[in-house]
């Protein structure tokens, strides 16, 4: 068996061993496990087409675990890359808050957009179109979008935790820190920031998962003791989660049947909505550049880049990633894409697809511990004092993209600022990208850089202008 594995995955050739691959796979899974409860929380309570029934935590959890496990398995066997895949934090926020809650799309319609995005992503991945797109979009603009998504995700976390609330006078304001779930969220944010910046990398790379479990246990313990000693009314008053509820029983996983294939039941109507095409473009755009950046980052750490800085075997990896996008939509969760947390496993020695197979097996096994995830659930009032920790922290990490920004380019600075601020204030990733494209093109023309702009930038900007004209007139 050892000889077969070594021959199939080229383990010794890449300077690794079977034990290192196993350790690397376990390390990667622990670093990204947080996505299962966090994504399930983000995609819960989104309406189906009847406007009455909605998605449930258990359904999204099972869909995410299965789709992530299958896609990561294919990445290991077909591409032989030490990369794990699961739902992207930017994409899930986009579908939940921009597509479903913002634009009012039914969940099945959002899943249909996800599947179509996966198909288009696949076509881009296997043709020369990919390189043309990468070269056409200015580097600074791509950096600004990644940072903007970080701002957006962080804002969602602050809102879901109660740290930031609605304010009639100033639109937003600080929440009530005397409320227990808000206080717990603040403590959790402080903990994850502390752990994430320790010099000991063996601890800092697991800052999110450690903080989630620590705060989950604390919050659920308070809730459980209150429920057992004072009853349900007292639990509602302190507003804390508990270790176990009917929403986290194995039977709750049966709601998976409500989301699996829902795109084919109620999703085709999405193509009759003009605004869906702007959503689709944003979905493809974010997924494409997020994946490309992640693959390069992981490949660099695993010493898998060629002399030109390109990832060896990138086409296979991109094909798997596009498959994951479509598969996620079929299963009823957001698109599955490469996770930068894979670098944690690479640091532990992973160099081949064998580590990805280990991660995929752990995704499947995680289904067995579903009832233990009640501590990551919502409070009686709907706050998320535990999972919001991950949203806030991941947002800060995405902000680090700006370190590579060219701060001498005035056009990029202004358009980047507009991209980020519009994402947050419109509560829409697609609107942020749209205004970024339009403003970048206008300012580049004014600066005399017309010939330096790719024709694709002109086309996309013009399409966005047409979209907003239609949206504010015919579609309003």
């Amino acid at each position: 068996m050892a000889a077969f594995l070594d021959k199939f995955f080229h383990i010794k050739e890449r300077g690794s061993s079977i034990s290192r691959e196993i350790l690397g796979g376990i390390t990667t899974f622990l670093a990204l496990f947080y996505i299962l409860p966090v994504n399930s929380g983000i995609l819960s309570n989104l309406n189906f087409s009847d406007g009455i029934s909605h998605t449930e935590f258990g359904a999204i959890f099972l869909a995410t675990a299965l789709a992530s496990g299958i896609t990561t398995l294919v990445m290991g066997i077909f591409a032989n890359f030490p990369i794990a895949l699961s739902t992207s934090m930017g994409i899930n926020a986009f579908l939940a808050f921009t597509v479903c809650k913002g634009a009012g799309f039914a969940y099945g319609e959002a899943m249909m957009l996800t599947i179509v995005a996966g198909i288009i992503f696949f076509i881009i991945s296997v043709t020369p179109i990919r390189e043309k797109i990468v070269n056409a979009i200015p580097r600074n603009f791509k950096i600004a979008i990644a940072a903007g998504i970080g701002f957006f995700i962080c804002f969602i976390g602050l809102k879901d935790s109660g740290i930031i609330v609605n304010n009639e006078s100033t639109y937003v304001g600080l929440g009530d820190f005397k409320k227990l779930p808000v206080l717990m969220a603040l403590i959790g944010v402080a903990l994850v920031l502390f752990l994430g910046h320790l010099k000991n990398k063996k601890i800092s790379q697991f800052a999110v998962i450690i903080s989630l479990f620590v705060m989950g246990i604390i919050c659920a313990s308070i809730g459980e003791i209150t429920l057992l000693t004072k009853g349900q009314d007292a639990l509602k008053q302190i507003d804390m989660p508990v270790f176990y509820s009917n929403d986290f029983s194995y039977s709750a996983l049966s709601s998976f049947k409500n989301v699996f294939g829902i795109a084919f039941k109620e999703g085709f109507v999405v193509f009759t909505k003009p605004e869906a095409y702007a959503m689709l473009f944003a979905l493809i755009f974010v997924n494409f550049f997020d994946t490309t950046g992640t693959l390069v980052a992981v490949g660099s750490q695993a010493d898998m880049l060629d002399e030109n800085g390109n990832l060896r075997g990138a086409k296979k990896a991109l094909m798997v990633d596009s498959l994951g996008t479509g598969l996620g939509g079929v299963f009823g969760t957001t698109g599955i894409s490469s996770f930068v947390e894979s670098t944690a496993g690479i640091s532990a020695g992973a160099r081949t697809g064998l580590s990805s197979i280990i991660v995929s097996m752990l995704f499947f096994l995680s289904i067995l511990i579903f009832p233990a995830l009640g501590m990551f659930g919502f409070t009686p009032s709907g706050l998320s004092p535990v999972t919001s920790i991950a949203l806030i922290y991941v947002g800060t990490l995405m902000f680090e993209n700006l370190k590579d920004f060219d701060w001498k380019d005035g056009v990029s600075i202004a358009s980047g600022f507009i991209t980020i601020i519009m994402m947050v204030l419109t509560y829409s990733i697609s609107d942020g990208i749209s205004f970024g494209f339009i403003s970048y093109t206008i300012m580049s023309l004014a600066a005399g850089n017309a010939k330096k702009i790719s024709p694709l930038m002109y086309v996309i900007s013009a399409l966005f202008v047409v979209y907003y004209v239609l949206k504010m007139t015919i579609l309003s």
Side-chain angles (χ1 to χ4, degrees), residues 426-446:
T426 63
Y427 216 64
S428 169
I429 292 173
S430 60
D431 282 333
I433 292 174
S434 302
F435 278 93
F437 263 100
I438 295 169
S439 62
Y440 185 90
T441 302
I442 291 173
M443 286 184 287
S444 294
L445 288 171

Side-chain angles (χ1 to χ4, degrees), residues 8-150:
F8 186 86
F9 292 105
H10 307 286
I11 296 175
K12 290 182 180 178
E13 181 182 325
R14 295 188 182 180
S16 185
S17 64
I18 293 177
S19 60
R20 285 183 181 177
E21 294 300 310
I22 294 174
L23 177 61
I26 294 173
T27 302
T28 294
F29 180 76
L30 291 175
L32 59 76
F33 173 78
Y34 72 88
I35 194 61
L36 291 175
V38 172
N39 184 65
S40 302
I42 290 175
L43 297 182
S44 293
N45 300 315
L46 300 178
N47 289 334
F48 295 136
S49 59
D50 60 10
I52 301 173
S53 51
H54 54 77
T55 55
E56 298 179 24
F57 192 102
I60 304 302
F61 176 87
L62 184 54
T64 304
L66 291 175
S68 300
I70 293 171
T71 310
T72 303
L73 183 65
V74 176
M75 179 66 82
I77 296 174
F78 176 67
N80 194 21
F81 270 40
I83 295 177
L85 301 93
S86 193
T87 51
S88 166
M89 288 291 283
I91 298 299
N92 57 15
F94 172 69
L95 285 176
F97 299 101
T98 299
V99 178
C100 291
K101 294 183 178 180
F105 284 27
Y107 193 69
E109 295 171 355
M111 292 301 99
M112 179 56 72
L113 289 178
T114 300
I115 293 172
V116 174
I119 295 172
I120 296 174
F121 190 9
F122 181 83
I123 294 172
I124 291 173
S125 301
V126 298
T127 63
I129 296 175
R130 170 181 169 269
E131 187 175 352
K132 291 181 180 179
I133 293 176
V134 170
N135 294 334
I137 310 300
R139 180 171 177 269
N140 280 341
F141 188 58
K142 289 180 280 189
I143 292 173
I145 290 174
I149 293 173

Side-chain angles (χ1 to χ4, degrees), residues 69-252:
I70 293 171
T71 310
T72 303
L73 183 65
V74 176
M75 179 66 82
I77 296 174
F78 176 67
N80 194 21
F81 270 40
I83 295 177
L85 301 93
S86 193
T87 51
S88 166
M89 288 291 283
I91 298 299
N92 57 15
F94 172 69
L95 285 176
F97 299 101
T98 299
V99 178
C100 291
K101 294 183 178 180
F105 284 27
Y107 193 69
E109 295 171 355
M111 292 301 99
M112 179 56 72
L113 289 178
T114 300
I115 293 172
V116 174
I119 295 172
I120 296 174
F121 190 9
F122 181 83
I123 294 172
I124 291 173
S125 301
V126 298
T127 63
I129 296 175
R130 170 181 169 269
E131 187 175 352
K132 291 181 180 179
I133 293 176
V134 170
N135 294 334
I137 310 300
R139 180 171 177 269
N140 280 341
F141 188 58
K142 289 180 280 189
I143 292 173
I145 290 174
I149 293 173
F151 275 79
F152 183 63
I153 290 174
C154 185
F155 182 64
I156 292 170
L158 292 169
K159 175 178 170 292
D160 287 352
S161 64
I163 296 174
I164 295 295
V165 296
N166 294 332
N167 185 296
E168 292 184 4
S169 300
T170 59
Y171 299 108
V172 293
L174 281 178
D176 186 354
F177 294 173
K178 297 190 298 297
K179 291 183 177 179
L180 195 53
V182 179
L183 179 61
M184 289 295 105
L186 283 170
I187 294 173
V189 171
L191 177 62
V192 72
L193 291 175
F194 176 80
L195 295 177
H197 291 85
L198 287 174
K199 292 183 178 180
N200 188 336
K201 295 298 181 183
K202 293 182 179 179
I203 296 177
S204 62
Q205 66 186 2
F206 299 116
V208 175
I209 191 65
I210 293 173
S211 300
L212 285 180
F213 271 98
V214 169
M215 297 310 300
I217 291 171
I218 293 173
C219 291
S221 295
I222 295 172
E224 202 70 48
I225 292 172
T226 302
L227 178 63
L228 293 175
T229 58
K230 298 181 179 179
Q232 189 70 41
D233 290 339
L235 177 63
K236 289 182 179 179
Q237 187 174 359
I238 66 166
D239 199 26
M240 294 295 282
V242 293
F243 280 113
Y244 178 79
S245 69
N246 291 333
D247 292 335
F248 290 88
S249 63
Y250 285 122
S251 61

